[in-house]
Amino acid sequence: MNLWVVLAVNSITLGGLLFLLSAGFSLIFGLMRIPNLTHGSFFMLGAYLATSLIAHGFDFWSAAIVGGLLVAAFGGLVERLILRRLIGAELAQVLVTLGLSFMIADVCLMVWTGDPIRIATPSALRGVTAVGGLAFPTYRLAISLIAVVFAVALWALLDRTRLGAMIRAGVDDPAMARVVGIRVSRLFTVVFCLGAWLAGFAGVIGGPILSVYPGLDQEMLPLALVVVILGGSGSLVGSLVGSFVVGFLYNFGQAMFPELAYVVLFLPMLVVLVLRPQGLFGRQTA
Amino acid sequence: MAVKIRRRAFLAGAAGAAVTASLSFPAIAQPKPVRIGLLTVKTGPLASGGIQMEQGTVRFFKDRNYTIAGRKVELLVADTGGNPAGTKTKTQELVERDHVDMIFGPLAAFELLAISDYAAQAKMPILSLAAAEDMTQRRPNPYFVRASATSSQNMHPLADYAAKELKYKRIITIADDFAFGHEQMAGFQRVFEDAGGRIVKKLWPPLVTPDYTPYLAQISGADAVVQGFAGSNPLKFMKQYQDQGLKLPVLGGGTACDEALMKSFGDEAIGVISCSAYTGDLDTPSNKRLIDGMVKDYGNIPGLYSAGLYINGQVAEAALEKTGGKTDDRDALIRALRSVSLVDTPRGPFTFDHLGNVVGTFYIRKCDSKGGKLVNTTIKSYPKVGQFWTYDEKWFLSQPVYSRDFPPLKS
């Protein structure tokens, strides 16, 4: 009985981390139609940058924010200098972002060596919190909370601000958005930076659980892909629901059918792709 | 090269037999260098171990001024990329283009399996750390030498220690779901069960697992946990183990609490008891030289991989001293390699069995914090441990190879 409660709570915390990772991916894909395969690299890069920032005296939270900003700046450059030239060419985008992810991985290996690096859990959140007689790692509970805060903030940004309205317009009909005077190309940069920031930030936030090591990028990317395909691209609610679905599938799948852990994780993705290609919450596009 | 040949031909032709004789003379006084190929991984997720392998190799040859048994050494380093196809290509290059005399590496078992047949055909001596049991058991390669350990070789003494000294009765095992993990845990299980203990549960997270919690949630009702993770996974596992509030003692194999991970671990590693073929606190002159050299050159203390390759260097040197520096007769060379017996090495005294696998000391260590740094302290050593432990070789080989489901759990 306790096992199931522990798994359920953990599913929610993993879902929270996945939401931070995949919200950016979903926004970028929804608005720009770029399947950004460097998203896992942004995640890893954020975590690596944070280890250096922390070594230079930053505390964990400022390292998370600044690390994210550095990744965002890098993402902005990638968008301006490379992806901008490839609008509409999806195969080229896939190849370029995939190639970039290998290059980032090699540069990380050079700079931070192949040794795994650990990010210490912020001291206030160490230890476990007892809930109803069961103990849960405090930091993981905090991640769920951060995810909720971000979900609300992103929803407010998209739903309640002018920028959000422009982004939504751009997602729904870029051509029409241009006609009414929205500078969609500038939006692209903003959204790409925002997505990169979220990924970098998520990398740092995930650091105390995952630590940082070569290959982390390729471990996280498929999870982001599953979330976005399940939830539907460009949909915030979709990312949120998708993240928690994947969190649950991951935890319960590995505990109940360890031999089929990946089948349990990816089978729903196949089913959704076949039956409802736009995802659970995505809109039908032409 | 081409220019040299032409000049030599010209000299030979112009000056006649006397000059030719005098030209060939220095060739005897200064024999051609020994060529040693190193198959390592410098890119991708295995790079951490691969880079350490190269550092250990370079350290050894620097200690010897790149001269062993009176011959200069030429080291050719090849990056396999950590995949079987790359390993095959690089091995062929080393053998057919570079004409190396022996090969150190590769790192991973699947790389080794990809080249084993080819290397045997080419009669190329391979000195690898890859732990796959059957390389020196049911499908032996006569040109293979392993100075480190099979997957289970350090788990046998660990199980003995857990049952007899720690008096544990019930154990849960958890390891990466691939051959190295399977073989390690099966070895532990056989010896632990034979000593009267019981394996309650065996958990197998996939090799690539960001979050171990689904498995951690299943850990309860045992005296201790034995983990067999490799690469960067021990770090992730121990951190999450601590975060989850689990308090059961943790035991592990050589890769589970390796010296090379010490700088990355936090206090979650304190108390982990591991059994390894190498231990940093072994007091031999060569281990001290290795550690000092590594700290000086790379700012790191050595772990299994760098020490393992340093030891391979010593094995090559001792074999060449036996053959009088000759490497041309490959069968004589492999005989010499396998009859090497060394005392002053970073892992202490060892010899080889007739299958080319090491018989040597294994160390039970406990991880502790000393002066703000994590260190492994040896608490017991098991001398002269072979790959078959205390079992009869014939009986051992008549059993199936260790795997995920063999031996089956006693219930």
Side-chain angles (χ1 to χ4, degrees):
Chain A
M1 181 59 207
N2 286 354
L3 172 67
W4 305 123
V5 181
V6 170
L7 286 179
V9 171
N10 193 59
S11 305
I12 295 170
T13 64
L14 180 65
L17 185 62
L18 289 178
F19 173 72
L20 292 178
L21 170 69
S22 56
F25 187 95
S26 176
L27 279 179
I28 291 171
F29 190 69
L31 179 67
M32 304 165 69
R33 308 269 181 269
I34 291 177
N36 177 26
L37 299 187
T38 46
H39 212 70
S41 315
F42 288 162
F43 183 89
M44 181 170 79
L45 198 57
Y48 269 129
L49 287 167
T51 62
S52 296
L53 289 169
I54 289 170
H56 284 87
F58 279 72
D59 70 18
F60 177 80
W61 299 108
S62 46
I65 291 167
V66 175
L69 284 176
L70 293 174
V71 175
F74 174 69
L77 284 179
V78 169
E79 198 278 328
R80 278 273 157 175
L81 299 179
I82 304 170
L83 295 175
R84 170 133 314 179
R85 295 159 195 276
L86 302 172
I87 286 174
E90 279 184 9
L91 184 61
Q93 291 166 349
V94 166
L95 292 176
V96 160
T97 53
L98 185 67
L100 264 177
S101 77
F102 288 131
M103 287 162 67
I104 293 171
D106 259 8
V107 171
C108 285
L109 192 63
M110 251 165 57
V111 177
W112 286 281
T113 74
D115 296 324
I117 306 177
R118 181 179 173 277
I119 298 181
T121 312
S123 51
L125 299 173
R126 280 183 200 154
V128 293
T129 305
V131 183
L134 289 170
F136 298 104
T138 311
Y139 184 70
R140 285 181 183 248
L141 298 177
I143 288 183
S144 321
L145 198 66
I146 294 171
V148 171
V149 170
F150 269 79
V152 172
L154 282 174
W155 169 80
L157 172 76
L158 287 179
D159 228 56
R160 288 283 178 269
T161 65
R162 191 179 155 77
L163 177 66
M166 294 198 296
I167 292 173
R168 275 180 292 133
V171 170
D172 284 350
D173 195 334
M176 192 54 94
R178 276 207 177 84
V179 169
V180 298
I182 296 172
R183 295 182 61 176
V184 176
S185 62
R186 185 176 291 169
L187 270 188
F188 280 11
T189 312
V190 170
V191 165
F192 203 84
C193 288
L194 178 65
W197 185 84
L198 281 169
F201 180 78
V204 188
I205 295 293
I209 299 177
L210 306 169
S211 69
V212 204
Y213 48 90
L216 177 65
D217 48 346
Q218 302 302 335
E219 284 181 34
M220 297 313 286
L221 181 66
L223 294 176
L225 287 173
V226 182
V227 167
V228 172
I229 289 171
L230 273 179
S233 62
S235 156
L236 208 54
V237 183
S239 297
L240 193 62
V241 173
S243 298
F244 289 117
V245 169
V246 171
F248 272 87
L249 285 174
Y250 183 89
N251 275 278
F252 283 87
Q254 297 217 325
M256 290 157 72
F257 316 101
E259 290 86 354
L260 300 175
Y262 285 140
V263 176
V264 173
L265 195 56
F266 289 99
L267 190 65
M269 180 179 101
L270 294 185
V271 173
V272 166
L273 270 181
V274 171
L275 297 180
R276 201 179 148 80
Q278 72 273 33
L280 296 176
F281 294 87
R283 290 197 207 154
Q284 192 79 55
T285 48
Chain B
M1 194 73 188
V3 173
K4 217 171 170 184
I5 289 168
R6 249 183 279 136
R7 196 173 60 182
R8 209 180 253 199
F10 170 71
L11 279 177
V19 179
T20 322
S22 75
L23 269 177
S24 68
F25 181 71
I28 294 166
Q30 270 188 324
K32 69 182 170 71
V34 185
R35 301 191 135 203
I36 294 179
L38 172 64
L39 288 172
T40 184
V41 188
K42 299 210 263 192
T43 44
L46 293 178
S48 165
I51 292 166
Q52 291 169 38
M53 280 170 59
E54 187 177 352
Q55 292 176 346
T57 315
V58 169
R59 266 320 314 167
F60 174 77
F61 289 118
K62 269 194 177 175
D63 273 356
R64 298 292 192 273
N65 250 328
Y66 282 91
T67 307
I68 56 173
R71 281 179 72 180
K72 289 297 277 179
V73 173
E74 233 177 84
L75 182 66
L76 297 113
V77 180
D79 180 3
T80 65
N83 64 68
T87 313
K88 191 109 197 252
T89 316
K90 292 294 175 183
T91 309
Q92 279 170 336
E93 279 179 22
L94 287 175
V95 172
E96 287 159 31
R97 189 190 68 196
D98 301 326
H99 302 289
V100 296
D101 297 300
M102 61 182 93
I103 287 178
F104 289 5
L107 190 161
F110 56 80
E111 294 181 289
L112 178 61
L113 294 173
I115 61 162
S116 178
D117 288 346
Y118 169 76
Q121 267 170 21
K123 296 195 171 188
M124 178 54 57
I126 301 266
L127 290 80
S128 173
L129 306 183
E133 302 261 319
D134 266 354
M135 278 301 297
T136 54
Q137 292 178 6
R138 289 157 204 84
R139 289 186 290 130
N141 171 343
Y143 295 90
F144 182 66
V145 174
R146 175 162 50 205
S148 46
T150 63
S151 312
S152 66
Q153 204 168 350
N154 36 21
M155 301 312 278
H156 292 146
L158 183 72
D160 187 77
Y161 187 81
K164 291 185 182 150
E165 309 259 340
L166 299 171
K167 312 274 184 222
Y168 292 149
K169 297 270 174 265
R170 295 162 61 81
I171 294 261
I172 294 176
T173 71
I174 179 164
D176 297 314
D177 195 1
F178 75 140
F180 178 63
H182 301 156
E183 292 181 351
Q184 282 191 89
M185 292 306 132
F188 184 91
Q189 184 191 338
R190 178 178 276 166
V191 173
F192 190 67
E193 285 182 344
D194 286 354
R198 220 189 122 207
I199 304 293
V200 189
K201 220 182 268 180
K202 290 170 105 174
L203 300 171
W204 305 111
L207 192 52
V208 174
T209 307
D211 189 1
Y212 286 109
T213 323
Y215 302 93
L216 293 172
Q218 301 176 59
I219 292 178
S220 67
D223 299 325
V225 175
V226 173
Q227 58 111 327
F229 292 107
S232 61
N233 285 348
L235 194 68
K236 219 170 12 170
F237 174 78
M238 288 310 300
K239 183 83 177 52
Q240 296 179 7
Y241 188 87
Q242 185 193 40
D243 285 348
Q244 203 63 33
L246 288 168
K247 300 275 185 260
L248 295 178
V250 176
L251 315 181
T255 55
C257 202
D258 187 33
E259 269 74 359
L261 285 172
M262 289 294 158
K263 64 173 189 297
S264 310
F265 268 131
D267 58 0
E268 68 272 8
I270 292 174
V272 172
I273 291 178
S274 60
C275 182
S276 180
Y278 170 74
T279 186
D281 66 348
L282 185 68
D283 189 14
T284 62
S286 59
N287 194 30
K288 196 171 172 329
R289 253 199 323 277
L290 166 65
I291 295 175
D292 291 347
M294 284 284 294
V295 170
K296 193 172 113 249
D297 284 7
Y298 306 111
N300 284 334
I301 54 165
L304 264 182
Y305 291 106
S306 18
L309 269 289
Y310 190 95
I311 292 165
N312 276 354
Q314 290 183 301
V315 171
E317 179 186 38
L320 257 69
E321 276 164 5
K322 277 175 196 278
T323 63
K326 289 198 187 66
T327 48
D328 298 336
D329 181 349
R330 286 292 160 67
D331 291 299
L333 179 60
I334 193 71
R335 270 199 307 279
L337 281 167
R338 285 185 169 190
S339 62
V340 164
S341 165
L342 290 168
V343 177
D344 174 18
T345 77
R347 63 162 297 173
F350 69 86
T351 54
F352 293 101
D353 63 17
H354 69 102
L355 294 160
N357 192 66
V358 73
V359 178
T361 312
F362 284 78
Y363 305 92
I364 309 274
R365 307 98 45 85
K366 186 168 189 170
C367 181
D368 243 320
S369 170
K370 277 187 189 160
K373 275 188 172 173
L374 291 176
V375 282
N376 280 323
T377 309
T378 303
I379 47 180
K380 184 178 168 99
S381 22
Y382 284 82
K384 292 189 181 160
V385 175
Q387 56 179 331
F388 306 113
W389 184 233
T390 57
Y391 299 106
D392 173 52
E393 180 183 329
K394 263 209 183 104
W395 174 82
F396 194 101
L397 292 179
S398 71
Q399 300 287 306
V401 67
Y402 283 146
S403 67
R404 202 176 199 266
D405 307 307
F406 185 85
L409 277 185
K410 280 185 183 157
S411 49

